[in-house]
Amino acid sequence: MNRQCYSASDVIFLLGAGATVDAGMPTIKELTDCLKDRFTGHTDREFIEIFKFLAKADSSVETNYERFFEYIELIRRASNKDLFCLKLPERLINVIRKLSETDVIRILMTDILRNFQKSADSDYLAHLQYFIPDNGRLKIFT
């Protein structure tokens, strides 16, 4: 058998969506649930109202916060208030427009991720360090 040696720079890792779940990091659904909980307890009650409105229109929002943010960005950029045969109330459109001026949602998501990181197993992917090439960059695709 002909054995070839490869350098660390030849190695590329392909990790799936759940690659860090065993390390204690959350799934997309768990992050979405945390975001909903934060929205429910947030002083700006419109956040949970917007979430529920979008989830009613697209059930994938209920389990994937990324879809929620896609809709938020779409609505924020749209000049037409009638989207996908839905009529979003003007006051909620105004809340979404203001989101780009504030970092409320980014701050909420950062806080959620930090809380999960505290309980995650930091050594879970440590064995990948042996594949770091001389240039110091590990090639990982998700």
Side-chain angles (χ1 to χ4, degrees), residues 24-109:
M25 292 302 291
T27 64
I28 291 291
K29 181 173 180 347
E30 290 169 333
L31 284 172
T32 304
D33 290 342
C34 286
L35 182 64
K36 282 191 300 192
D37 290 345
R38 295 291 174 96
F39 281 167
T40 301
H42 199 272
T43 55
D44 296 325
R45 292 298 210 192
E46 291 89 357
F47 290 158
I48 192 64
E49 192 174 349
I50 292 167
F51 188 92
K52 288 178 180 178
F53 185 91
L54 293 173
K56 185 176 178 183
D58 180 352
S59 62
S60 70
V61 170
E62 199 57 50
T63 57
N64 187 341
Y65 74 91
E66 292 171 342
R67 294 289 297 153
F68 171 74
F69 290 128
E70 289 168 5
Y71 279 116
I72 292 293
E73 185 62 20
L74 178 65
I75 293 166
R76 194 180 64 75
R77 290 181 179 197
S79 58
N80 183 352
K81 296 177 183 113
D82 294 321
L83 299 171
F84 312 108
C85 303
L86 301 173
K87 179 71 174 162
L88 192 61
E90 183 69 28
R91 66 186 175 76
L92 296 182
I93 291 173
N94 289 333
V95 169
I96 291 170
R97 284 186 186 133
K98 289 178 186 174
L99 288 177
S100 63
E101 300 167 10
T102 64
D103 283 340
V104 173
I105 293 180
R106 184 189 59 78
I107 292 168
L108 287 173
M109 286 306 298

Coordinates of all heavy atoms in Angstrom, one line a residue, residues 24-109:
G24 N -21.5 21.1 24.6 CA -22.4 21.9 25.5 C -22.9 23.2 24.9 O -23.6 23.9 25.5
M25 N -22.6 23.4 23.6 CA -23.1 24.6 22.9 C -24.5 24.3 22.4 O -24.8 23.1 22.2 CB -22.2 25.0 21.8 CG -20.8 25.5 22.2 SD -20.9 26.9 23.3 CE -21.5 28.2 22.2
P26 N -25.3 25.3 22.3 CA -26.8 25.1 22.0 C -27.0 24.8 20.5 O -26.2 25.2 19.7 CB -27.4 26.4 22.4 CG -26.3 27.4 22.2 CD -25.0 26.7 22.6
T27 N -28.1 24.2 20.2 CA -28.6 24.0 18.9 C -29.3 25.3 18.4 O -29.5 26.2 19.3 CB -29.6 22.9 18.7 OG1 -30.8 23.2 19.5 CG2 -29.0 21.6 19.2
I28 N -29.6 25.5 17.2 CA -30.3 26.6 16.7 C -31.6 26.8 17.4 O -32.0 27.9 17.8 CB -30.5 26.6 15.1 CG1 -29.2 26.7 14.4 CG2 -31.5 27.6 14.7 CD1 -28.5 28.1 14.5
K29 N -32.3 25.7 17.6 CA -33.6 25.7 18.3 C -33.4 26.2 19.7 O -34.2 27.0 20.2 CB -34.3 24.4 18.3 CG -35.7 24.4 19.0 CD -36.4 23.2 18.9 CE -37.8 23.2 19.5 NZ -38.1 24.3 20.4
E30 N -32.4 25.7 20.4 CA -32.2 26.2 21.8 C -31.9 27.7 21.8 O -32.4 28.4 22.7 CB -31.1 25.4 22.4 CG -31.4 23.9 22.7 CD -30.3 23.1 23.1 OE1 -29.1 23.4 22.7 OE2 -30.5 22.1 23.8
L31 N -31.1 28.1 20.9 CA -30.8 29.6 20.8 C -32.0 30.4 20.5 O -32.3 31.4 21.1 CB -29.7 29.9 19.7 CG -28.3 29.5 20.1 CD1 -27.4 29.7 18.9 CD2 -27.8 30.4 21.2
T32 N -32.9 29.9 19.6 CA -34.1 30.5 19.3 C -35.0 30.6 20.5 O -35.6 31.6 20.8 CB -34.8 29.8 18.1 OG1 -33.9 29.7 17.0 CG2 -36.1 30.5 17.7
D33 N -35.1 29.5 21.3 CA -35.9 29.5 22.5 C -35.4 30.5 23.5 O -36.2 31.2 24.2 CB -36.0 28.1 23.1 CG -36.8 27.1 22.3 OD1 -37.6 27.5 21.5 OD2 -36.6 25.9 22.5
C34 N -34.1 30.6 23.6 CA -33.5 31.6 24.6 C -33.8 33.0 24.1 O -34.1 33.9 24.9 CB -32.0 31.5 24.6 SG -31.5 30.0 25.6
L35 N -33.8 33.3 22.8 CA -34.1 34.6 22.3 C -35.5 34.9 22.5 O -35.8 36.0 23.0 CB -33.8 34.6 20.7 CG -34.0 36.0 20.1 CD1 -33.1 37.0 20.6 CD2 -33.9 35.8 18.6
K36 N -36.4 33.9 22.3 CA -37.9 34.2 22.6 C -38.1 34.5 24.1 O -38.8 35.4 24.4 CB -38.7 33.0 22.3 CG -39.0 32.8 20.8 CD -40.0 31.8 20.5 CE -39.6 30.4 21.0 NZ -40.4 29.3 20.5
D37 N -37.4 33.8 25.0 CA -37.5 34.1 26.4 C -37.0 35.5 26.7 O -37.6 36.2 27.5 CB -36.7 33.1 27.2 CG -37.2 31.7 27.2 OD1 -38.4 31.5 26.8 OD2 -36.5 30.7 27.6
R38 N -35.9 35.9 26.1 CA -35.4 37.2 26.3 C -36.4 38.3 25.8 O -36.6 39.3 26.4 CB -34.0 37.4 25.7 CG -32.9 36.6 26.3 CD -32.6 37.0 27.7 NE -31.7 36.1 28.3 CZ -30.4 36.3 28.3 NH1 -29.8 37.3 27.8 NH2 -29.6 35.4 28.9
F39 N -36.9 38.0 24.7 CA -37.9 38.9 24.1 C -39.1 39.1 25.0 O -39.7 40.2 25.2 CB -38.4 38.5 22.7 CG -37.5 38.8 21.6 CD1 -37.7 38.2 20.4 CD2 -36.4 39.7 21.7 CE1 -36.8 38.4 19.3 CE2 -35.5 39.9 20.7 CZ -35.7 39.3 19.5
T40 N -39.6 37.9 25.6 CA -40.7 37.9 26.5 C -40.5 38.8 27.7 O -41.4 39.5 28.1 CB -41.1 36.5 26.9 OG1 -41.4 35.8 25.7 CG2 -42.3 36.5 27.8
G41 N -39.3 38.8 28.2 CA -38.9 39.5 29.4 C -38.4 40.9 29.2 O -38.1 41.6 30.1
H42 N -38.2 41.3 27.9 CA -37.6 42.5 27.5 C -38.6 43.7 27.7 O -39.8 43.5 27.6 CB -37.1 42.5 26.1 CG -36.1 43.6 25.8 ND1 -36.4 44.8 25.4 CD2 -34.8 43.5 25.9 CE1 -35.3 45.5 25.2 NE2 -34.3 44.8 25.5
T43 N -38.1 44.9 28.1 CA -38.9 46.0 28.3 C -39.7 46.5 27.0 O -40.8 47.0 27.1 CB -38.1 47.2 28.8 OG1 -37.0 47.5 27.9 CG2 -37.6 46.9 30.2
D44 N -39.0 46.2 25.9 CA -39.7 46.5 24.6 C -40.5 45.3 24.2 O -40.1 44.4 23.5 CB -38.7 46.8 23.5 CG -37.9 48.1 23.8 OD1 -38.5 49.0 24.4 OD2 -36.7 48.1 23.5
R45 N -41.8 45.3 24.6 CA -42.7 44.2 24.3 C -43.0 44.0 22.8 O -43.4 42.9 22.4 CB -44.1 44.5 25.0 CG -44.0 44.5 26.5 CD -43.6 43.2 26.9 NE -44.2 42.8 28.2 CZ -43.8 41.8 28.9 NH1 -42.9 41.0 28.4 NH2 -44.4 41.5 30.0
E46 N -42.6 44.9 22.0 CA -42.8 44.8 20.6 C -42.0 43.7 20.0 O -42.4 43.0 19.0 CB -42.6 46.1 19.8 CG -43.5 47.2 20.1 CD -43.2 48.0 21.3 OE1 -42.2 47.8 21.9 OE2 -43.9 49.0 21.5
F47 N -40.8 43.4 20.6 CA -39.9 42.3 20.1 C -40.7 41.0 20.0 O -40.6 40.3 19.0 CB -38.7 42.2 20.9 CG -37.7 43.4 20.8 CD1 -36.8 43.6 21.8 CD2 -37.8 44.2 19.7 CE1 -35.9 44.7 21.7 CE2 -36.9 45.3 19.6 CZ -36.0 45.5 20.6
I48 N -41.3 40.6 21.1 CA -42.0 39.3 21.1 C -43.2 39.3 20.2 O -43.5 38.4 19.5 CB -42.4 38.8 22.5 CG1 -42.8 37.4 22.5 CG2 -43.5 39.7 23.1 CD1 -41.7 36.4 22.1
E49 N -43.8 40.5 20.1 CA -44.9 40.6 19.1 C -44.5 40.5 17.7 O -45.2 39.8 16.9 CB -45.6 42.0 19.3 CG -46.9 42.1 18.6 CD -47.6 43.5 19.0 OE1 -47.2 44.2 19.9 OE2 -48.6 43.8 18.3
I50 N -43.4 41.0 17.3 CA -42.8 40.9 16.0 C -42.4 39.4 15.8 O -42.7 38.9 14.7 CB -41.6 41.8 15.8 CG1 -42.0 43.3 15.8 CG2 -40.8 41.5 14.5 CD1 -40.8 44.3 15.9
F51 N -41.8 38.8 16.7 CA -41.4 37.4 16.6 C -42.6 36.5 16.4 O -42.6 35.7 15.4 CB -40.7 36.9 17.9 CG -40.1 35.6 17.7 CD1 -38.8 35.4 17.3 CD2 -40.8 34.4 18.0 CE1 -38.2 34.2 17.1 CE2 -40.3 33.2 17.8 CZ -39.0 33.0 17.4
K52 N -43.7 36.7 17.1 CA -44.9 35.9 17.0 C -45.5 36.2 15.6 O -46.0 35.2 15.0 CB -45.8 36.2 18.1 CG -45.4 35.6 19.4 CD -46.4 35.9 20.6 CE -45.9 35.3 21.9 NZ -46.8 35.7 23.0
F53 N -45.6 37.4 15.2 CA -46.2 37.8 13.9 C -45.4 37.0 12.8 O -46.1 36.4 11.9 CB -46.1 39.3 13.7 CG -46.8 39.7 12.5 CD1 -48.2 40.1 12.5 CD2 -46.1 39.8 11.3 CE1 -48.8 40.5 11.4 CE2 -46.8 40.2 10.1 CZ -48.1 40.6 10.2
L54 N -44.1 37.1 12.8 CA -43.3 36.4 11.8 C -43.4 34.9 11.8 O -43.5 34.2 10.8 CB -41.9 36.9 11.8 CG -41.6 38.4 11.5 CD1 -40.2 38.8 11.7 CD2 -42.1 38.7 10.1
A55 N -43.5 34.4 13.1 CA -43.6 32.9 13.2 C -44.9 32.4 12.7 O -45.0 31.3 12.2 CB -43.4 32.5 14.7
K56 N -45.9 33.2 12.9 CA -47.3 32.9 12.4 C -47.2 32.8 10.8 O -47.9 32.0 10.2 CB -48.3 33.9 12.8 CG -49.7 33.5 12.5 CD -50.7 34.5 13.1 CE -52.1 34.2 12.7 NZ -53.1 35.2 13.2
A57 N -46.5 33.7 10.2 CA -46.4 33.7 8.8 C -45.5 32.6 8.2 O -45.7 32.1 7.2 CB -45.9 35.1 8.3
D58 N -44.4 32.3 9.0 CA -43.5 31.3 8.6 C -43.1 30.5 9.8 O -42.3 31.0 10.7 CB -42.2 32.0 8.0 CG -41.2 31.0 7.5 OD1 -41.3 29.8 7.8 OD2 -40.2 31.4 6.9
S59 N -43.5 29.3 9.9 CA -43.3 28.5 11.1 C -41.8 28.2 11.4 O -41.5 27.9 12.5 CB -44.1 27.2 11.0 OG -43.7 26.4 9.9
S60 N -41.0 28.3 10.4 CA -39.5 28.0 10.6 C -38.9 29.1 11.5 O -37.9 28.8 12.1 CB -38.8 28.0 9.3 OG -38.7 29.2 8.7
V61 N -39.5 30.2 11.6 CA -39.0 31.3 12.5 C -39.1 30.8 14.0 O -38.2 31.1 14.8 CB -39.9 32.6 12.4 CG1 -39.5 33.6 13.5 CG2 -39.6 33.2 11.0
E62 N -40.0 30.0 14.3 CA -40.3 29.4 15.6 C -39.1 28.6 16.1 O -38.8 28.6 17.3 CB -41.5 28.6 15.6 CG -42.2 28.3 16.9 CD -42.6 29.5 17.7 OE1 -43.3 30.4 17.2 OE2 -42.3 29.5 18.9
T63 N -38.3 28.0 15.2 CA -37.2 27.1 15.6 C -35.9 27.5 15.1 O -34.9 26.9 15.4 CB -37.5 25.7 15.1 OG1 -37.6 25.7 13.7 CG2 -38.7 25.1 15.8
N64 N -35.8 28.6 14.3 CA -34.6 29.1 13.7 C -34.5 30.6 13.8 O -35.0 31.3 12.9 CB -34.4 28.6 12.3 CG -33.1 28.8 11.7 OD1 -32.3 29.7 12.2 ND2 -32.8 28.1 10.6
Y65 N -33.7 31.1 14.7 CA -33.6 32.6 14.9 C -33.0 33.2 13.7 O -33.2 34.4 13.4 CB -32.8 32.9 16.2 CG -31.3 32.7 16.0 CD1 -30.5 33.7 15.6 CD2 -30.8 31.5 16.4 CE1 -29.1 33.5 15.5 CE2 -29.4 31.3 16.2 CZ -28.6 32.3 15.8 OH -27.3 32.1 15.7
E66 N -32.2 32.5 12.9 CA -31.6 33.1 11.7 C -32.7 33.5 10.7 O -32.6 34.5 10.0 CB -30.7 32.1 11.0 CG -29.4 31.8 11.9 CD -28.6 30.7 11.4 OE1 -29.0 29.9 10.6 OE2 -27.4 30.7 11.8
R67 N -33.8 32.7 10.6 CA -34.9 33.1 9.7 C -35.5 34.4 10.2 O -35.9 35.3 9.5 CB -36.0 32.0 9.7 CG -35.5 30.7 9.0 CD -35.3 30.8 7.5 NE -36.6 31.1 6.9 CZ -36.7 31.8 5.8 NH1 -35.7 32.2 5.1 NH2 -37.9 32.0 5.2
F68 N -35.7 34.5 11.6 CA -36.2 35.7 12.2 C -35.4 36.9 11.7 O -35.9 37.9 11.3 CB -36.2 35.6 13.7 CG -36.6 36.8 14.4 CD1 -37.9 37.3 14.4 CD2 -35.6 37.6 15.1 CE1 -38.2 38.5 15.1 CE2 -35.9 38.7 15.8 CZ -37.2 39.2 15.8
F69 N -34.1 36.8 11.8 CA -33.2 38.0 11.5 C -33.2 38.2 10.0 O -33.1 39.4 9.6 CB -31.8 37.7 11.9 CG -31.6 37.8 13.4 CD1 -31.0 36.8 14.1 CD2 -32.1 38.9 14.1 CE1 -30.9 36.8 15.5 CE2 -32.0 38.9 15.5 CZ -31.3 37.9 16.2
E70 N -33.4 37.2 9.2 CA -33.6 37.4 7.7 C -34.8 38.3 7.4 O -34.7 39.2 6.6 CB -33.6 36.1 7.0 CG -32.3 35.3 6.9 CD -32.5 33.9 6.5 OE1 -33.6 33.5 6.1 OE2 -31.5 33.2 6.5
Y71 N -35.9 37.9 8.1 CA -37.1 38.7 7.9 C -37.0 40.1 8.4 O -37.4 41.1 7.8 CB -38.3 38.0 8.6 CG -38.9 36.9 7.8 CD1 -38.9 35.6 8.2 CD2 -39.5 37.2 6.5 CE1 -39.5 34.6 7.5 CE2 -40.1 36.1 5.8 CZ -40.0 34.8 6.3 OH -40.6 33.8 5.6
I72 N -36.3 40.3 9.6 CA -36.1 41.6 10.1 C -35.3 42.5 9.1 O -35.7 43.6 8.9 CB -35.4 41.5 11.5 CG1 -36.2 40.9 12.5 CG2 -34.8 42.9 11.9 CD1 -37.4 41.7 12.9
E73 N -34.3 41.9 8.6 CA -33.4 42.7 7.6 C -34.2 43.0 6.4 O -34.2 44.1 5.8 CB -32.2 41.9 7.3 CG -31.2 42.6 6.4 CD -30.7 43.9 7.0 OE1 -30.7 44.0 8.2 OE2 -30.2 44.7 6.2
L74 N -35.0 42.0 5.9 CA -35.8 42.3 4.7 C -36.9 43.4 4.9 O -37.0 44.3 4.1 CB -36.6 41.0 4.3 CG -37.5 41.0 3.1 CD1 -36.7 41.3 1.9 CD2 -38.3 39.8 3.0
I75 N -37.5 43.3 6.1 CA -38.5 44.4 6.4 C -37.9 45.7 6.6 O -38.4 46.7 6.1 CB -39.3 44.0 7.7 CG1 -40.2 42.7 7.4 CG2 -40.2 45.1 8.2 CD1 -40.7 42.1 8.6
R76 N -36.7 45.7 7.2 CA -36.0 47.0 7.5 C -35.6 47.6 6.1 O -35.7 48.8 6.0 CB -34.8 46.7 8.3 CG -34.1 47.9 8.9 CD -32.9 47.6 9.7 NE -31.8 47.1 8.9 CZ -31.0 47.7 8.1 NH1 -31.2 49.0 7.9 NH2 -30.1 47.1 7.4
R77 N -35.2 46.8 5.2 CA -34.8 47.4 3.9 C -35.9 47.7 2.9 O -35.8 48.4 2.0 CB -33.8 46.4 3.2 CG -32.5 46.3 3.9 CD -31.6 45.4 3.2 NE -30.3 45.3 3.8 CZ -29.3 44.8 3.3 NH1 -29.3 44.4 2.0 NH2 -28.1 44.8 3.9
A78 N -37.1 47.0 3.2 CA -38.2 47.2 2.2 C -38.8 48.5 2.3 O -39.0 49.1 3.3 CB -39.2 46.1 2.5
S79 N -39.2 49.0 1.1 CA -39.9 50.3 1.1 C -41.4 50.1 1.1 O -42.2 50.9 1.4 CB -39.5 51.1 -0.2 OG -39.8 50.3 -1.3
N80 N -41.8 48.9 0.7 CA -43.2 48.5 0.6 C -43.6 47.8 1.9 O -43.0 46.9 2.4 CB -43.5 47.6 -0.6 CG -44.9 47.2 -0.7 OD1 -45.7 47.5 0.1 ND2 -45.2 46.6 -1.8
K81 N -44.7 48.3 2.6 CA -45.1 47.7 3.8 C -45.9 46.4 3.7 O -46.1 45.7 4.7 CB -45.9 48.7 4.6 CG -45.1 50.0 5.0 CD -45.9 51.0 5.7 CE -45.0 52.2 5.9 NZ -45.4 53.3 5.2
D82 N -46.4 46.1 2.5 CA -47.1 44.9 2.3 C -46.1 43.8 1.8 O -45.7 43.9 0.7 CB -48.2 45.1 1.3 CG -49.3 46.0 1.8 OD1 -49.6 45.9 3.0 OD2 -49.8 46.8 1.0
L83 N -45.7 42.9 2.7 CA -44.8 41.9 2.3 C -45.4 40.5 2.4 O -46.1 40.2 3.3 CB -43.6 41.9 3.3 CG -42.8 43.2 3.3 CD1 -41.8 43.1 4.4 CD2 -42.1 43.4 2.0
F84 N -45.2 39.7 1.3 CA -45.7 38.3 1.3 C -47.2 38.2 1.7 O -47.6 37.4 2.4 CB -44.9 37.5 2.3 CG -43.4 37.7 2.1 CD1 -42.7 38.3 3.1 CD2 -42.8 37.2 1.0 CE1 -41.3 38.5 2.9 CE2 -41.4 37.4 0.8 CZ -40.7 38.0 1.8
C85 N -48.0 39.2 1.2 CA -49.4 39.2 1.5 C -49.7 39.4 3.0 O -50.7 39.0 3.5 CB -50.1 37.9 1.0 SG -49.9 37.7 -0.8
L86 N -48.8 39.9 3.7 CA -49.0 40.2 5.1 C -49.0 41.7 5.3 O -48.3 42.5 4.7 CB -47.8 39.7 6.0 CG -47.5 38.2 5.9 CD1 -46.3 37.9 6.7 CD2 -48.7 37.4 6.5
K87 N -49.8 42.1 6.3 CA -49.8 43.6 6.6 C -49.2 43.7 8.0 O -49.9 43.4 9.0 CB -51.2 44.1 6.5 CG -51.4 45.5 6.9 CD -50.8 46.4 5.8 CE -51.1 47.9 6.1 NZ -50.3 48.8 5.4
L88 N -48.0 44.1 8.1 CA -47.3 44.4 9.3 C -47.7 45.7 9.8 O -47.6 46.7 9.1 CB -45.8 44.3 9.1 CG -44.9 44.2 10.4 CD1 -45.2 43.0 11.2 CD2 -43.5 44.2 10.0
P89 N -48.2 45.8 11.1 CA -48.7 47.1 11.6 C -47.5 48.1 11.6 O -46.4 47.8 11.8 CB -49.0 46.8 13.1 CG -49.3 45.3 13.1 CD -48.4 44.7 12.0
E90 N -47.9 49.4 11.3 CA -46.9 50.5 11.1 C -46.0 50.6 12.3 O -44.8 50.8 12.2 CB -47.7 51.8 10.8 CG -46.7 53.0 10.6 CD -46.0 52.9 9.3 OE1 -46.5 52.3 8.3 OE2 -44.9 53.4 9.2
R91 N -46.6 50.5 13.5 CA -45.8 50.6 14.8 C -44.7 49.6 14.9 O -43.6 49.8 15.4 CB -46.7 50.7 16.0 CG -47.4 49.4 16.3 CD -48.4 49.5 17.5 NE -49.1 48.3 17.6 CZ -48.6 47.2 18.2 NH1 -47.4 47.2 18.6 NH2 -49.4 46.1 18.3
L92 N -45.0 48.4 14.4 CA -44.0 47.3 14.4 C -42.9 47.5 13.4 O -41.7 47.3 13.6 CB -44.6 45.9 14.3 CG -45.6 45.5 15.4 CD1 -46.1 44.1 15.1 CD2 -44.9 45.6 16.7
I93 N -43.3 48.1 12.2 CA -42.3 48.4 11.2 C -41.4 49.5 11.7 O -40.2 49.5 11.5 CB -43.0 48.9 9.9 CG1 -43.8 47.7 9.2 CG2 -42.0 49.6 8.9 CD1 -44.6 48.1 8.1
N94 N -41.9 50.4 12.5 CA -41.1 51.5 13.1 C -40.1 50.9 14.1 O -39.0 51.4 14.2 CB -42.0 52.6 13.7 CG -42.7 53.4 12.7 OD1 -42.2 53.6 11.5 ND2 -43.8 54.0 13.0
V95 N -40.5 49.9 14.9 CA -39.6 49.3 15.8 C -38.5 48.6 15.1 O -37.3 48.7 15.4 CB -40.4 48.2 16.7 CG1 -39.4 47.4 17.5 CG2 -41.4 48.9 17.6
I96 N -38.8 47.9 14.0 CA -37.8 47.2 13.2 C -36.8 48.2 12.6 O -35.6 48.0 12.6 CB -38.5 46.4 12.1 CG1 -39.2 45.2 12.7 CG2 -37.4 45.9 11.1 CD1 -40.1 44.4 11.8
R97 N -37.3 49.4 12.1 CA -36.5 50.4 11.5 C -35.5 50.9 12.6 O -34.3 51.2 12.3 CB -37.3 51.6 11.0 CG -37.9 51.2 9.7 CD -38.6 52.5 9.1 NE -39.4 52.1 7.9 CZ -40.6 52.5 7.7 NH1 -41.3 53.3 8.5 NH2 -41.2 52.1 6.6
K98 N -36.0 51.1 13.8 CA -35.1 51.6 14.9 C -34.1 50.6 15.3 O -33.0 50.9 15.9 CB -36.0 51.9 16.1 CG -36.8 53.2 15.9 CD -37.7 53.5 17.1 CE -38.6 54.6 16.8 NZ -39.6 54.8 17.9
L99 N -34.3 49.3 15.0 CA -33.3 48.2 15.4 C -32.0 48.5 14.8 O -30.9 48.2 15.4 CB -33.8 46.8 15.0 CG -35.0 46.3 15.9 CD1 -35.4 45.0 15.4 CD2 -34.6 46.2 17.3
S100 N -32.0 49.0 13.6 CA -30.7 49.3 12.9 C -29.9 50.4 13.6 O -28.7 50.6 13.5 CB -30.9 49.6 11.5 OG -31.6 50.8 11.3
E101 N -30.6 51.3 14.4 CA -30.0 52.4 15.1 C -29.5 51.9 16.5 O -28.6 52.6 17.1 CB -31.0 53.5 15.3 CG -31.5 54.1 14.0 CD -32.7 55.0 14.2 OE1 -33.1 55.3 15.3 OE2 -33.4 55.3 13.2
T102 N -30.0 50.9 17.0 CA -29.6 50.4 18.3 C -29.0 48.9 18.1 O -29.2 48.3 17.1 CB -30.8 50.3 19.3 OG1 -31.7 49.3 18.8 CG2 -31.4 51.6 19.4
D103 N -28.4 48.5 19.1 CA -27.8 47.1 19.1 C -28.5 46.2 20.1 O -28.0 45.2 20.5 CB -26.3 47.2 19.5 CG -25.4 47.7 18.4 OD1 -25.9 47.7 17.2 OD2 -24.3 48.1 18.7
V104 N -29.8 46.4 20.3 CA -30.6 45.7 21.3 C -30.5 44.2 21.0 O -30.2 43.4 21.9 CB -32.0 46.2 21.4 CG1 -32.8 45.3 22.3 CG2 -32.1 47.6 21.8
I105 N -30.8 43.8 19.8 CA -30.9 42.3 19.5 C -29.5 41.7 19.5 O -29.3 40.6 20.0 CB -31.6 42.1 18.1 CG1 -33.1 42.5 18.3 CG2 -31.5 40.6 17.7 CD1 -33.9 42.3 17.1
R106 N -28.5 42.4 18.9 CA -27.1 41.9 18.9 C -26.7 41.7 20.4 O -26.0 40.7 20.7 CB -26.2 42.9 18.2 CG -24.8 42.4 18.1 CD -23.8 43.4 17.6 NE -23.7 44.6 18.4 CZ -23.1 44.7 19.6 NH1 -22.4 43.6 20.1 NH2 -23.0 45.8 20.3
I107 N -27.0 42.7 21.2 CA -26.6 42.6 22.7 C -27.3 41.4 23.3 O -26.7 40.6 24.1 CB -26.9 43.9 23.4 CG1 -26.0 45.0 22.9 CG2 -26.8 43.7 24.9 CD1 -26.4 46.4 23.4
L108 N -28.6 41.2 23.0 CA -29.3 40.0 23.6 C -28.7 38.7 23.1 O -28.4 37.8 23.9 CB -30.8 40.0 23.1 CG -31.7 41.1 23.8 CD1 -33.0 41.1 23.1 CD2 -31.8 40.8 25.3
M109 N -28.4 38.6 21.8 CA -27.8 37.4 21.3 C -26.4 37.1 21.8 O -26.0 36.0 22.2 CB -27.7 37.4 19.7 CG -29.1 37.2 19.1 SD -29.9 35.7 19.6 CE -28.8 34.4 19.1

